[in-house]
Amino acid sequence: LLERLGGHLVDTTAAARPASPALARVRDLLHEHMSANIGLDELVDSSGIDRFRLTRLFQREFGTSPHAYLVRLRLRAARRLLAAGHTPARVAAEVGFADQSHLGRWFRRAYRMTPAAYRRMCARMDAHTPD
């Protein structure tokens, strides 16, 4: 499990304060409205920076595009909910994916397993954990 998740263990919430308050607003907006359908236009309105410059600055500051950052936030939240025993369909709706198959595509791409397989694996690990 750790090998599969290794590339995704970086906690994006623990990133240092961005150099720009505008980028901090964008990052905070993504965190606060993770499950909403946030578009680049909304991020532009929040930051006051044009879309091309915003994308470049965000990439430089956080190492990824705003959309990829949002997907990572959603995947991290999905892992927590799946580990807690929630169904993939419910998780998809709660974290902002369009549907269960959308969650499944991103989850398989990131972790090379399905959300249901991850949920089962977590349940098995809980069953083997002493109280």
Side-chain angles (χ1 to χ4, degrees):
L1 174 63
L2 290 177
E3 285 179 24
R4 288 184 176 166
L5 297 177
H8 302 279
L9 291 176
V10 176
D11 185 3
T12 54
T13 60
R17 259 344 238 173
S20 162
L23 291 178
R25 282 192 304 277
V26 168
R27 184 205 53 215
D28 292 346
L29 183 68
L30 291 172
H31 281 265
E32 291 167 14
H33 301 286
M34 173 191 65
S35 62
N37 190 13
I38 300 173
L40 191 54
D41 290 337
E42 194 171 347
L43 300 178
V44 165
D45 291 344
S46 169
S47 67
I49 301 172
D50 73 83
R51 63 188 312 128
F52 301 107
R53 189 163 174 255
L54 173 63
T55 303
R56 278 194 318 274
L57 292 172
F58 196 93
Q59 174 84 37
R60 187 180 319 145
E61 188 71 34
F62 298 106
T64 190
S65 70
H67 181 261
Y69 188 94
L70 178 61
V71 169
R72 273 198 230 154
L73 287 175
R74 289 175 175 172
L75 287 170
R76 191 178 68 212
R79 281 196 334 253
R80 279 194 308 269
L81 292 170
L82 290 164
H86 297 284
T87 64
R90 179 177 173 192
V91 169
E94 283 190 35
V95 302
F97 287 104
D99 54 29
Q100 183 176 344
S101 65
H102 188 217
L103 166 65
R105 283 191 302 276
W106 278 107
F107 206 90
R108 278 190 305 278
R109 183 182 299 169
Y111 308 121
R112 295 190 173 107
M113 66 172 51
T114 65
Y118 180 80
R119 180 178 174 223
R120 283 191 303 271
M121 184 176 55
C122 291
R124 281 195 305 267
M125 291 177 71
D126 284 344
H128 296 305
T129 305
D131 290 328

